[in-house]
Amino acid sequence: MITPTASSGISLMPHQQQIHDFLVDHPFAGAWLGVGAGKTLTTLSVLQTVRPMGHILVVAPVAIARSTWIDEIEKWGFPMRTKSLIVDQNDRKLSKAKRLERFREVATDPPTMYFINQELLTQPPQETKLLTPVPEAVPAPTVSPEATAILGLLRARGPLGADELIDAYRALVPGDANGRPVAKTKVRSWIQELLKSALVTWEAYFCRSCSGGGCAQCRFGLVDQLPVHNINGQDTIVWPFQTVIIDESQGFKSHDSRRFLALASVRPAMTRLIELTGTPAPGGLHDLWSQVYLLDQGRALGQNVTAFRDRWFTPKMVPGTTTPAKWIPTANAEAEIHQAISHLVMSAQNTSLQLPALSIQDVNVTLPPDLLRAYKDFKRDLVLDIVQTYTSDDGNLTQSVESIIAVNQAVLTSKLMQFASGTLYTADPDDPATKGRYEVIHDKKIEMAEYLVRNSGGEPVLIAYHFKSDKEQLLTRLRKAGVDAQAFDGSRDMVRRWNTKQIPVLLLHPAAAGHGLNLQHGGSTMIWYTLPFSLEHYLQTNGRLFRTGQTKPVIIHRLIAKGTQDERMPSVLADKQEVQDDLIEAVSGDFTAEQALLAALEEEIREDLSDFWRSGRL
């Protein structure tokens, strides 16, 4: 909890002032600012201007909700009472019990700015684990008289939770001479005795209150835990946050996601809603409906997604079915949609924004001819034979040949990505003991990564990886070479240590830490070990270093394994970038801009995989 006493003077850049004025004048609005353009600072200045009543809720990806906002409030001295619903004062993740306690404290707290990650807005119903008696065995295991009594109680009453069973037993059994009940620790030991004897097991059951339908007893998100009052015969959630800020609003692009439906249900209780993003539609104009609905409750783009689709899209069906695989925008859809939302969102295009020089360099990685042949054979035949070496029970080295089979296009593309990066997962889906198992196929990419690290002039390097196996191999290789490489753990302390140049190499996964982190002070060199399919992940991760406040030219190396699908990824991302830029320009205040030239490429990975599949098989 942080409560600065005074706000230092802040001078906004022209594009930030333009956004500030728009958000002040529009209680329900979106601001589309590029990565590193100062969305957080601009929004904090808006709050200082309008001084909203009551609580404020910031909903964001976990890294942003955990550190970015609080860091900016501290940096600029904004006089706001803040409280995290994710971590404690020492940046340690809250336990479920402590988090639920903080949810309840919202009702009695003075006006506060709260922070929560998107995943904790709402959660699916959780099953309850109950102690359940098993059918009597013959002969029955021998246990203590006390354990036998507890077993009899459980069989009489049916499955119970541990605390319920303990309380029930203590209520039935006489206490000691002073009237004190049996110690809970003793009862727990007798329950453990029953579990070890296999007379009792833990079984999962639906919630008793709702039978799995979902209620406060089995759903532990913020919206799920808020009180519900009956108003005019209708159950209504008591929503205590008059002002809501959604940072990285593209996280709400799915119209049927739990998080969107949860916020949509409480949207009428809000008096101000601000949506922030640098990538509003990373997968095309189809991603916009739910984000815009939260702003105006359906007035601009339709009351539901069906109306939106009927007006501006035509379905592309899965062959041989009536199921839409993709929604294709009609001829004038993009221009019309952009115009329809122009009063709700603004993107300030500003040439005076001072950003460092940016150099993106594709670094070729050459695979040995035999490996490249194996890659191409795998792509053609969907089967790859690899030799595994292991130590047998008698201590001798033994080799065996294992076949890796790609059962469909998605699996094949994932396997080819792994192959190009140097490792290949070999887990047997029918054998949980093999989960996470992989084989090292080659070390050519990792050699190049080490070379680039060693030739960075002693400056820290950020490495973006895709697979866990890549992370493990990078950490092992670099540490063996004497480089202190560390994987990002999400903590504010690690952000601080990186920005004070205490971490020579930081490994970061785009999906987990590609948004919102201010890492520009710690280094200016990044390596993409494997390029992502997602434009959002690509731009946001680049923006950790390429942003305002960076004092050095930024160099981004993209490792490209020659002869593999790595070679196509730069053009795929460039095509998506063109569509994204058209959308942002259309709502920048300059509505004479040319109509968007291309229909949006779907960002959803299955569409990308289909494209790769078709091009590779023809």
Side-chain angles (χ1 to χ4, degrees):
M1 186 182 299
I2 306 160
T3 314
T5 55
S7 161
S8 58
I10 295 174
S11 178
L12 296 178
M13 297 181 184
H15 74 283
Q16 294 171 335
Q17 188 65 51
Q18 183 181 356
I19 292 289
H20 168 279
D21 295 345
F22 182 78
L23 294 179
V24 167
D25 293 339
H26 297 77
F28 297 92
W32 294 352
L33 283 174
V35 177
K39 294 187 290 292
T40 306
L41 176 61
T42 302
T43 305
L44 288 171
S45 69
V46 170
L47 298 178
Q48 282 293 92
T49 299
V50 300
R51 297 189 179 276
M53 301 291 291
H55 294 324
I56 301 168
L57 180 67
V58 176
V59 183
V62 65
I64 302 177
R66 183 173 179 176
S67 62
T68 302
W69 282 82
I70 292 178
D71 288 344
E72 288 291 291
I73 290 171
E74 287 182 330
K75 176 181 177 181
W76 297 103
F78 283 97
M80 296 176 174
R81 185 180 191 272
T82 64
K83 196 172 191 178
S84 174
L85 301 176
I86 306 169
V87 294
D88 63 15
Q89 289 84 344
N90 297 313
D91 199 35
R92 292 186 298 245
K93 183 180 177 181
L94 294 173
S95 66
K96 184 178 79 173
K98 185 61 179 178
R99 187 174 71 246
L100 295 181
E101 180 183 336
R102 290 203 173 183
F103 289 172
R104 292 189 292 270
E105 290 171 353
V106 170
T108 56
D109 280 344
T112 301
M113 190 173 191
Y114 296 91
F115 306 94
I116 194 167
N117 54 311
Q118 299 167 348
E119 295 78 9
L120 289 181
L121 265 181
T122 182
Q123 294 188 320
Q126 302 292 311
E127 293 181 330
T128 302
K129 291 293 187 67
L130 300 178
L131 290 162
T132 306
V134 301
E136 295 187 39
V138 180
T142 302
V143 294
S144 66
E146 293 84 359
T148 300
I150 292 174
L151 179 60
L153 176 62
L154 197 59
R155 284 176 173 159
R157 296 200 179 182
L160 295 173
D163 290 340
E164 292 175 319
L165 182 56
I166 291 170
D167 291 342
Y169 180 79
R170 295 175 81 207
L172 289 176
V173 177
D176 61 16
N178 296 319
R180 290 178 298 208
V182 180
K184 291 184 178 181
T185 55
K186 287 187 176 181
V187 184
R188 289 194 182 96
S189 69
W190 296 325
I191 294 174
Q192 286 299 317
E193 186 180 353
L194 291 172
L195 288 167
K196 289 179 180 178
S197 301
L199 291 169
V200 167
T201 63
W202 288 105
E203 297 288 345
Y205 293 87
F206 284 128
C207 172
R208 294 169 178 169
S209 299
C210 65
S211 299
C215 67
Q217 281 67 49
C218 65
R219 298 178 67 183
F220 305 108
L222 174 62
V223 177
D224 312 321
Q225 291 292 308
L226 292 174
V228 176
H229 290 176
N230 189 284
I231 301 177
N232 297 326
Q234 182 175 356
D235 288 342
T236 304
I237 297 172
V238 179
W239 182 249
F241 310 100
Q242 294 187 41
T243 300
V244 175
I245 299 166
I246 304 177
D247 201 344
E248 304 301 344
S249 64
Q250 72 277 4
F252 290 81
K253 65 185 180 182
S254 175
H255 68 278
D256 56 359
S257 67
R258 291 181 183 273
R259 67 181 68 164
F260 165 71
L261 295 173
L263 272 194
S265 69
V266 296
R267 165 60 177 80
M270 301 176 193
T271 58
R272 183 174 291 273
L273 174 62
I274 298 174
E275 291 186 5
L276 307 172
T277 183
T279 51
L285 299 158
H286 196 260
D287 287 349
L288 291 176
W289 179 81
S290 55
Q291 298 173 70
V292 174
Y293 179 89
L294 291 175
L295 294 178
D296 73 348
Q297 297 184 283
R299 285 184 286 275
L301 298 184
Q303 291 294 316
N304 52 60
V305 74
T306 300
F308 176 61
R309 289 169 172 168
D310 288 345
R311 182 173 178 183
W312 282 300
F313 296 85
T314 57
K316 177 183 177 182
M317 301 299 182
V318 175
T321 74
T322 58
T323 302
K326 187 176 182 180
W327 292 92
I328 309 298
T330 56
N332 297 319
E334 290 189 15
E336 292 177 4
I337 291 171
H338 297 167
Q339 183 63 43
I341 64 175
S342 61
H343 64 295
L344 294 171
V345 295
M346 173 172 281
S347 172
Q349 300 290 322
N350 182 64
T351 57
S352 66
L353 180 60
Q354 297 300 311
L355 289 174
L358 174 64
S359 173
I360 298 179
Q361 303 175 356
D362 288 342
V363 181
N364 290 333
V365 175
T366 302
L367 301 183
D370 59 333
L371 274 177
L372 198 54
R373 282 194 300 271
Y375 175 92
K376 293 178 179 178
D377 290 345
F378 186 27
K379 186 176 181 180
R380 183 189 66 238
D381 302 332
L382 311 187
V383 177
L384 176 69
D385 292 333
I386 63 172
V387 177
Q388 290 186 319
T389 302
Y390 61 94
T391 302
S392 62
D393 293 338
D394 57 9
N396 295 320
L397 288 179
T398 304
Q399 290 186 331
S400 66
V401 177
E402 180 169 343
S403 295
I404 304 299
I405 302 174
V407 297
N408 56 45
Q409 63 196 50
V411 173
L412 174 64
T413 302
S414 178
K415 294 296 184 186
L416 293 178
M417 288 176 66
Q418 296 166 30
F419 195 120
S421 293
T423 61
L424 196 63
Y425 282 96
T426 59
D428 182 349
D430 297 323
D431 183 1
T434 66
K435 182 178 181 181
R437 187 182 67 187
Y438 62 87
E439 290 292 315
V440 177
I441 303 298
H442 66 83
D443 61 0
K444 300 308 176 184
K445 264 197 180 182
I446 208 167
E447 281 182 355
M448 185 58 72
E450 181 184 348
Y451 173 82
L452 293 173
V453 167
R454 290 189 177 280
N455 287 273
S456 66
E459 288 294 304
V461 176
L462 193 68
I463 301 181
Y465 67 92
H466 185 83
F467 297 103
K468 184 179 179 182
S469 55
D470 295 339
K471 178 186 72 172
E472 293 176 354
Q473 290 299 304
L474 282 164
L475 289 174
T476 300
R477 175 74 172 243
L478 293 173
R479 288 172 178 173
K480 187 176 181 179
V483 178
D484 181 17
Q486 300 180 35
F488 184 66
D489 63 6
S491 69
R492 294 179 67 197
D493 177 66
M494 182 162 273
V495 172
R496 178 191 61 78
R497 290 192 292 114
W498 164 264
N499 279 326
T500 53
K501 299 183 182 295
Q502 298 179 45
I503 302 177
V505 175
L506 182 64
L507 272 59
L508 180 146
H509 194 288
H515 293 80
L517 295 175
N518 291 311
L519 303 179
Q520 69 271 29
H521 304 297
S524 58
T525 301
M526 177 185 295
I527 299 172
W528 275 103
Y529 198 75
T530 301
L531 284 172
F533 283 101
S534 168
L535 174 66
E536 175 191 343
H537 288 168
Y538 177 70
L539 295 179
Q540 291 286 353
T541 304
N542 290 348
R544 298 315 99 221
L545 302 184
F546 182 60
R547 60 194 300 116
T548 54
Q550 175 62 260
T551 59
K552 296 182 178 181
V554 174
I555 300 175
I556 296 177
H557 301 291
R558 307 191 298 194
L559 301 189
I560 305 295
K562 296 294 290 180
T564 75
Q565 66 184 26
D566 279 2
E567 292 184 303
R568 297 194 60 196
M569 292 309 300
S571 62
V572 170
L573 292 169
D575 287 343
K576 292 182 178 182
Q577 174 81 68
E578 184 176 357
V579 175
Q580 183 76 66
D581 291 346
D582 287 336
L583 172 59
I584 290 178
E585 183 179 1
V587 294
S588 66
D590 179 10
F591 301 115
T592 63
E594 292 184 4
Q595 177 178 326
L597 300 177
L598 298 174
L601 290 173
E602 284 292 335
E603 187 255 343
E604 298 299 331
I605 191 169
R606 290 186 179 179
E607 284 299 312
D608 285 325
L609 297 179
S610 295
D611 293 338
F612 280 117
W613 175 266
R614 286 192 293 271
S615 65
R617 303 294 286 180
L618 293 177

